[in-house]
Amino acid sequence: MDFFQGQETLTAYEWILRAIIAFFFLLIVARVLGQRAISQLRPLDFAIVLVIGNIIAHPLSDEQLGLKGSIITTVVLVVLYLIGIFAILKWPWFRKLITPSPITIVQNGEILHKGLKKARISLDVLLEELREEKIEDVKKVALAIWEADGKFSVFLDPKYEPLTPSAIKMETGTFDFPNTIIKEGRILTDELSHIHKSEGWVVSHLETKYQAEVKNVLLATLDSNDTLRVFLYK
């Protein structure tokens, strides 16, 4: 197989074989490295992201390299990636082969050392992740799972969950997301027409409440109760 060795020219067939072998080799490397090494990227995504940028960059920076090989390789990798996505959706066995299963790290307040070893993460990493979730005591954790994308899913024991209105059966109003009516010194007329307000109304309220002009406003929002919140340039 001459295409394994460096040479001046390769046929299109040899370029395709090279791309296929490299793609599956990278998938194997990704699984061996473990999810910690490629955090937030699944192995299939890691393989495609790692390679394509370099493939295109080389002929653009080296005048002695042609685009033929790079284009063929990129097309083959994209096709393999799409086939991989289809296979993951269609066949559970292939999904398990390519995508790591979630790993339980903490259960009922106890750290599972086997889980740490399987996920290839240290105790320091676990504690760091819990601190980011504002959890100071592992004993408060009912379940912590290391997901396939390299992120933690943490569930507190119900007795340590923050108190919510639903827990004490308190009625609340409906969710109300405020509309942005001024951004970077410019009135957004489409938003105003949507909430049935005029530019004159906005200008009047700015002068009355904030003694400011529209050009001095970085951001202004208005909710359904006509509460105007203004952030001025400073």
Side-chain angles (χ1 to χ4, degrees), residues 4-22:
F4 269 112
Q5 308 297 326
Q7 49 189 342
E8 291 184 2
T9 60
L10 290 174
T11 65
Y13 172 72
E14 289 173 326
W15 276 112
I16 291 171
L17 278 180
R18 209 181 237 195
I20 292 172
I21 291 171

Side-chain angles (χ1 to χ4, degrees), residues 104-164:
T104 301
I105 304 296
V106 179
Q107 191 166 33
N108 298 324
E110 297 295 330
I111 298 173
L112 305 182
H113 186 249
K114 288 184 179 179
L116 287 174
K117 289 177 66 177
K118 189 176 180 181
R120 300 179 192 175
I121 59 175
S122 67
L123 187 60
D124 289 334
V125 171
L126 169 62
L127 297 176
E128 177 186 333
E129 295 286 346
L130 293 180
R131 287 196 299 271
E132 289 182 359
E133 296 289 336
K134 305 295 188 295
I135 300 171
E136 81 287 355
D137 187 356
V138 181
K139 291 293 184 182
K140 294 182 178 180
V141 179
L143 186 66
I145 298 174
W146 182 249
E147 302 288 2
D149 62 356
K151 296 179 182 178
F152 261 103
S153 295
V154 181
F155 303 89
L156 287 174
D157 189 298
K159 63 177 173 284
Y160 297 114
E161 288 281 2
L163 196 62
T164 62

Side-chain angles (χ1 to χ4, degrees), residues 12 15-27 43-56 68-86:
W15 276 112
I16 291 171
L17 278 180
R18 209 181 237 195
I20 292 172
I21 291 171
F23 182 79
F24 285 103
F25 175 72
L26 278 171
L27 284 179
L44 192 62
D45 302 317
F46 169 79
I48 200 74
V49 167
L50 182 66
V51 171
I52 285 183
N54 286 327
I55 290 172
I56 298 299
K68 172 191 169 185
S70 294
I71 291 174
I72 292 174
T73 305
T74 301
V75 170
V76 171
L77 289 174
V78 170
V79 170
L80 288 172
Y81 177 76
L82 294 176
I83 291 172
I85 294 295
F86 174 79

